[in-house]
């Protein structure tokens, strides 16, 4: 179905009618689509007492599926183009076990849009609101499901409120940060290498910034680090010549990012801080604000990569292999 | 207790006596110690129908503990030095909920060796056998526990057999690979940057090779990639100038590594293959061989970093921050 036909109540009704109690939620995709699902996995792991969760690259899921996968599983599968071979395979592996399979895709003609799955075809335009993109659609479905399965669940209203507010917050934050991103790019677009860090539910946004925005779209070398791991190896390379981007979350894991910042201030020189606390997230309730760093940081990575493209003149859509050669 | 006093039957008796049925297994640590626990988490997720598992950096575990953590949880905590602040905090968070907490440490005087946990103090000498190190100790405990909780579990004997055989296999493989590691280092010790890849249960060995062996111990820049993700972004940087290390697993996820190899053969030029199929793993049963790539690749990373040190003359134990300054 198209997002315009999507109704969270109806979908969760259908999940419960068809599969009863959901005990396991799996998040399965490749690359950027997998990254989109990370914060939802984190959400289930920390907030749900009735469900377990796992975040698994498609081909791993196909070759070594989780032992609990089955009738009481809900599986989120995402493929932007909708035909990524291993992701379609993964959807089928899940489908065959009787799991409830929700596929997200941007392409209504793709394999992921097949009616045998519960497919949601999303728009991906600059004016598409956050609540109609996979990250917030997933939050909405899980929020409704946990609410129904767990009488003691406390985040129901605040998550709904956050999903409603986040689009406007992000648009303003991106606007306010544009000049800062240009200045960053002016200084560093030609840097041979950099590290990108973030924490908690937003960790995968470092991973995505690195592998999608820079490695894939700019052929730039870089590495991603979970801020919680920085002091356990990676920080030994830090010095005044190394470049870092630190995306600081608002919420429970913020102190991890703050510790990394203090170190960079003392021993580094070239570091860019993208701080969620300066981005208007204070109107989202504290008990769930952690989960709204991820969509914010995603849009920040788009802003920064566009600023970098503007200097490098390396088109963001240029590929030498993906969709160009056989592999 | 010392490993010499460890008896898997007694320990699992104690787990079951004190905590009854185990439903969740958590693997919690930082850096190298966290890496040591990854393949066990993969093992539980794929092989156990009675337990769920998660792999979580210590500080994340402290600040955002999993919702299922409690009396029916088994928590493995590892800290080589035994006093890593956030790891001790994590052990205490788990302890307070009534979970069964097993702490591994090399330091009998450390906080992790406190008798309030179920501590196992391991030796870490060149002649310490694999079965007395955290990775295989964890396999042994989980293998026994799954066997008791799940009548249909099929890997019991083959895992035991693998744990027994792996030390000899690895010693021979390391010996056979020494010259190859020297030649690699001779060519590439001065390379400004490289990517390291592996798949499945052995993925974290790429992460460890990067953050411990190279970033921490050689102050070398590098990045780690799950082979299953290589074609979804990272491969766009591949060309004849980029250096890769590909650790190819034996077992179910091998085809993922093989696909990456074919691509490197076609579009790359500088790549080092460390292939578990040439390392004597064929005497381990196919149904569980996947889990023995990790200890093999760990020892390979030690071999390669030592070969690199031999050229760079950058002592593997030299630190500019860790244990030297406050942070």
């Amino acid at each position: 179905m198209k997002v315009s036909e999507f109704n969270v109540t109806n979908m969760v009704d259908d999940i419960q009618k068809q599969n009863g109690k959901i005990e396991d939620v799996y998040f399965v995709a490749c690359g950027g689509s997998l990254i989109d699902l990370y914060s939802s996995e984190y959400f289930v792991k920390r907030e749900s007492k009735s469900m377990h969760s796992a975040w698994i690259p498609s081909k791993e899921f196909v070759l070594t599926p989780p032992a609990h996968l089955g009738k009481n599983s809900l599986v989120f599968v995402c493929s932007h183009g909708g035909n990524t071979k291993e992701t379609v395979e993964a959807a089928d592996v899940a489908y065959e076990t009787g799991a409830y399979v929700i596929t997200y895709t941007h392409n209504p003609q793709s394999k992921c849009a097949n009616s045998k799955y519960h497919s949601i075809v999303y728009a991906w335009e600059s004016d598409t609101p956050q609540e109609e993109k996979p990250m917030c659609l997933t939050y909405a479905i899980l929020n409704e499901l946990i609410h129904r399965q767990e009488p003691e669940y406390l985040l129901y209203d605040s998550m709904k409120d956050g999903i409603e507010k986040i689009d406007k917050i992000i648009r303003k934050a991106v606007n306010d940060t544009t000049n800062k991103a240009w200045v960053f790019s002016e200084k560093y677009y030609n840097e041979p290498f950099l590290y990108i860090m973030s924490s908690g539910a937003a960790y995968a946004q470092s991973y995505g910034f690195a592998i999608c925005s820079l490695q894939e779209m700019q052929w730039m070398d870089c590495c991603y680090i979970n801020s919680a791991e920085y002091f356990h190896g990676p920080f030994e390379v830090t010095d005044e010549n190394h470049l870092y981007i630190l995306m600081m979350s608002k919420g429970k894991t913020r102190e991890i990012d703050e510790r990394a910042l203090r170190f960079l201030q003392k021993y580094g020189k070239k570091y860019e801080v993208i701080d969620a606390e300066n981005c208007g997230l204070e109107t989202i309730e504290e008990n769930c604000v952690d989960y709204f760093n991820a969509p914010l940081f995603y849009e920040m990575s788009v802003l920064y990569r566009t600023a970098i493209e503007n200097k490098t003149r390396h088109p963001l859509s240029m590929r030498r292999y993906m969709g160009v050669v056989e592999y």
Side-chain angles (χ1 to χ4, degrees), chain A:
Chain A
M1 71 177 103
K2 286 187 195 160
V3 170
S4 57
E5 302 158 62
F6 170 81
N7 173 291
V8 67
T9 311
N10 295 348
M11 177 156 249
V12 177
D13 283 350
D14 193 53
I15 293 171
Q16 295 194 306
K17 196 181 130 205
Q18 294 203 30
N19 290 60
K21 189 189 166 202
I22 296 298
E23 295 175 352
D24 286 277
V25 192
Y26 297 106
F27 301 89
V28 183
C30 297
S33 297
L34 184 60
I35 289 150
D36 250 11
L37 302 174
Y38 184 86
S39 59
S40 293
E41 197 273 335
Y42 202 99
F43 171 71
V44 173
K45 189 162 276 153
R46 272 63 182 193
E47 309 297 350
S48 173
K49 292 192 169 170
S50 64
M51 303 189 289
H52 286 87
S53 64
W55 184 73
I56 304 177
S58 299
K59 196 69 187 187
E60 247 186 33
F61 187 87
V62 170
L63 297 173
T64 57
H68 288 273
L69 176 66
K71 182 76 184 161
N72 297 107
S73 302
L74 170 61
V75 183
F76 289 93
V77 172
C78 185
S79 169
H80 190 72
N83 293 315
T84 307
K85 192 166 167 280
E86 51 265 59
T87 300
V88 177
E89 280 175 20
D92 285 336
V93 164
Y95 177 79
E96 295 296 329
T97 67
Y100 194 97
V101 181
I102 296 175
T103 52
Y104 295 116
T105 178
H106 177 52
N107 179 358
Q109 268 77 52
S110 68
K111 289 180 182 163
C112 278
N114 190 309
S115 63
K116 73 176 170 177
Y117 317 123
H118 304 278
S119 77
I120 301 178
V121 178
Y122 56 84
W124 197 258
E125 308 300 327
S126 60
D127 63 351
T128 306
Q130 290 297 325
E131 50 187 318
E132 297 183 9
K133 289 180 168 185
M135 212 183 290
C136 284
L137 290 168
T138 310
Y139 285 161
I141 295 166
L142 293 168
N143 191 48
E144 182 66 29
L145 185 57
I146 299 177
H147 173 64
R148 295 196 196 178
Q149 292 196 166
E150 304 174 29
E152 71 281 17
Y153 175 62
L154 295 175
L155 304 186
Y156 187 59
D157 293 320
S158 50
M159 280 297 289
K160 273 191 169 179
D161 181 63
I163 293 166
E164 209 183 291
K165 284 178 179 160
I166 191 66
D167 192 67
K168 210 176 255 181
I169 292 171
I170 291 176
R171 286 184 196 276
K172 181 170 186 322
V174 166
N175 209 46
D176 293 349
T177 311
T178 302
N179 189 66
K180 187 170 181 293
W182 287 340
V183 172
F184 171 85
S185 173
E186 188 72 22
K187 269 196 200 164
Y188 297 124
Y189 76 94
N190 215 7
E191 200 74 8
F193 178 71
L194 73 157
Y195 288 100
I196 307 171
M197 287 198 275
S198 56
S199 70
Y203 157 62
Q205 292 304 320
S206 288
Y207 177 58
F209 201 140
I211 74 158
C212 299
S213 296
L214 300 183
Q215 292 174 9
E216 178 179 333
M217 298 186 181
Q218 290 293 301
W219 307 355
M220 274 176 79
D221 292 314
C222 54
C223 184
Y224 43 97
I225 304 169
N226 185 325
S227 313
E229 288 280 276
Y230 177 55
F231 292 99
H232 305 285
F235 78 145
E236 279 288 331
V237 303
T238 299
D239 59 24
E240 298 197 344
N241 298 314
H242 276 81
L243 176 60
Y244 287 81
I245 294 175
L246 173 62
M247 296 192 285
M248 297 181 69
S249 287
K250 183 162 167 56
K252 298 185 193 73
T253 63
R254 181 173 182 81
E255 66 175 89
I256 300 175
D257 302 319
E258 285 174 340
R259 187 181 178 205
L261 177 63
R262 284 193 300 275
F263 193 86
L264 288 173
Q265 286 170 333
K266 195 156 179 186
Y267 298 102
K269 195 169 165 193
K270 304 192 307 194
Y271 54 90
E272 177 78 357
V273 177
I274 300 173
D275 189 345
E277 289 223 329
N278 301 332
C279 292
L281 287 177
E282 61 278 358
T283 60
I284 293 179
E285 301 257 4
E286 240 183 83
N287 62 8
C288 71
V289 69
D290 295 61
Y291 305 111
F292 294 95
N293 295 295
L296 169 71
F297 292 158
Y298 170 71
E299 299 297 344
M300 288 292 171
S301 75
V302 174
L303 176 69
Y304 274 74
R305 77 189 180 207
T306 307
I308 293 168
E309 175 198 37
N310 193 42
K311 288 296 293 182
T312 59
R313 311 309 296 157
H314 177 117
L316 289 168
S317 315
M318 177 166 68
R319 299 291 179 275
R320 47 181 156 181
Y321 308 123
M322 192 181 281
V324 177
V325 303
E326 289 290 315
Y327 48 87

